[in-house]
Amino acid sequence: VPKLYDAAKNAGAEIRLNNAVVDILEENEKAVAVKVKNEAGTYTIKAKAIIVTTGGFGANPQMIEKYRSDLKGFPTTNVKTTTGDAFAWLEKFDAQLRLMNEIQTHPSVVPGRGMLITEAVRGNGAIMINHEGKRFVNELDTRDVTSNAILALPEKRAYIFFNQDVRKSLKAIEGYDKAGVLISGNTVEEIAANLNIDSSTLQSTLDTYNLAQATGKDTQFGRLDMARSLVRGPYYAVEIEPAIHHTMGGVAINTRAQVLNTTGDVIPSLYAAGEVTGGVHGDNRLGGNAVADITIFGKIAADSALEDISK
């Protein structure tokens, strides 16, 4: 973001902080201006093209419940401004919405903190255990599968469990330690006590996993990548729960990032890119792909707008 910000400033872009867009104005079914609010009041900016890049609605409980009642009350990893305001602005254009019910939960979020524990922890060798000290899912399965497996547990929470070898492999874990979310123990017995888990059950889980890691065959859950064994301590755990992370649904666009109405026609002068759009990721976004989405379609939207303005 700092690099893109500097590039925009160097190119002559005017960036107005603390000026909130509150509506997109329409004339003859065409987008013509945005209404903006700041401390002094409201004003209007007329435009030959408008690109909507306002993000999703993962921090809007009412919209979440509207499209997915089963996710009512779920925590979110989103910043508080991810409230989907643009969807109300676009109603007057009869903008087409796609896959609004496809809302991705991230399986590893610290309860009450909204802190996401990166999937790289599991990728580097961590396992997930329930409150009995047992594995219950292939830790590297998709986010929806692992989230649903956690929600099927009585506590609807689980632990990411790893050792010092995994910790040394990933710098991000040091940040979790500084944030105070790691539970630790030098031995299996010690961390089991700190987790209020039967140590013999936990030891049995680790023995089975370490054998699978050594042989490359996880007969329990079919995990293919087991980067490190968990033979040696110290050991660490983080309690986690699923939380709303990304909304795959949004306004429909074409390959030129033009917003479409409900009949599939282009809405003149209106473009969109990023999480506000729907259908780009299907029903389950792969981790990291949103970065490609916003940069590629952001540029496509700008190029399309400039091309159309030049006509």
Side-chain angles (χ1 to χ4, degrees):
V1 170
K3 294 293 185 183
L4 293 173
Y5 179 86
D6 291 342
K9 295 289 287 187
N10 292 336
E14 180 184 353
I15 298 173
R16 299 185 181 183
L17 303 179
N18 299 311
N19 283 254
V21 174
V22 294
D23 202 2
I24 298 174
L25 304 184
E26 173 262 342
E27 287 182 8
N28 300 320
E29 300 181 346
K30 179 180 179 181
V32 296
V34 291
K35 186 177 181 181
V36 185
K37 182 178 181 180
N38 60 19
E39 290 182 353
T42 59
Y43 63 97
T44 299
I45 301 174
K46 293 183 179 180
K48 295 179 180 179
I50 297 168
I51 304 174
V52 183
T53 59
T54 51
F57 56 94
N60 185 325
Q62 290 75 31
M63 286 190 71
I64 294 294
E65 185 178 357
K66 175 182 178 180
Y67 293 107
R68 284 286 299 277
S69 59
D70 59 310
L71 295 179
K72 179 181 179 180
F74 259 55
T76 181
T77 63
N78 290 207
V79 294
K80 62 182 180 181
T81 52
T82 312
T83 50
D85 297 19
F87 294 101
W89 310 338
L90 296 172
E91 286 181 359
K92 66 176 72 68
F93 298 95
D94 193 30
Q96 180 184 154
L97 302 182
R98 301 185 63 196
L99 301 177
M100 293 296 283
N101 65 315
E102 299 297 351
I103 299 171
Q104 183 182 78
T105 58
H106 197 290
S108 53
V109 178
V110 179
R113 298 283 292 271
M115 178 186 294
L116 188 152
I117 305 299
T118 175
E119 283 154 323
V121 180
R122 284 173 277 148
N124 283 25
I127 61 174
M128 290 200 296
I129 58 173
N130 60 21
H131 284 65
E132 295 179 351
K134 300 176 181 179
R135 287 179 70 209
F136 57 93
V137 70
N138 176 347
E139 294 86 356
L140 302 186
D141 214 326
T142 57
R143 289 174 175 175
D144 55 339
V145 171
T146 49
S147 291
N148 289 337
I150 295 172
L151 294 174
L153 300 173
E155 302 82 5
K156 301 188 185 302
R157 294 180 179 180
Y159 292 106
I160 293 178
F161 187 95
F162 55 96
N163 66 355
Q164 185 67 24
D165 291 338
V166 175
R167 178 171 178 171
K168 286 192 299 183
S169 74
L170 191 62
K171 187 178 180 180
I173 294 174
E174 301 310 312
Y176 306 144
D177 186 32
K178 291 179 181 178
V181 299
L182 295 188
I183 302 165
S184 62
N186 288 321
T187 64
V188 172
E189 290 76 16
E190 185 176 338
I191 195 166
N194 292 336
L195 296 175
N196 196 28
I197 287 174
D198 177 67
S199 61
S200 61
T201 300
L202 180 57
Q203 185 65 66
S204 176
T205 295
L206 294 179
D207 290 343
T208 301
Y209 179 78
N210 288 329
L211 177 62
Q213 194 273 337
T215 60
K217 294 182 179 180
D218 178 16
T219 57
Q220 281 188 302
F221 300 104
R223 176 171 172 168
L224 298 177
D225 186 350
M226 296 170 279
R228 290 169 177 82
S229 73
L230 302 175
V231 174
R232 300 178 300 176
Y235 293 101
Y236 307 93
V238 184
E239 190 174 36
I240 56 166
E241 67 179 358
I244 292 163
H245 187 52
H246 191 277
T247 50
M248 277 76 69
V251 296
I253 58 172
N254 61 17
T255 55
R256 298 187 69 241
Q258 296 171 296
V259 178
L260 306 178
N261 63 20
T262 53
T263 60
D265 296 322
V266 169
I267 300 172
S269 304
L270 194 59
Y271 309 81
E275 197 178 357
V276 74
T277 64
V280 175
H281 300 282
D283 61 10
N284 189 29
R285 180 185 68 92
L286 296 176
N289 280 11
V291 178
D293 174 17
I294 63 175
T295 52
I296 292 169
F297 277 99
K299 187 177 189 305
I300 289 173
D303 290 344
S304 298
L306 287 171
E307 181 182 344
D308 294 343
I309 287 172
S310 68
K311 296 177 182 177

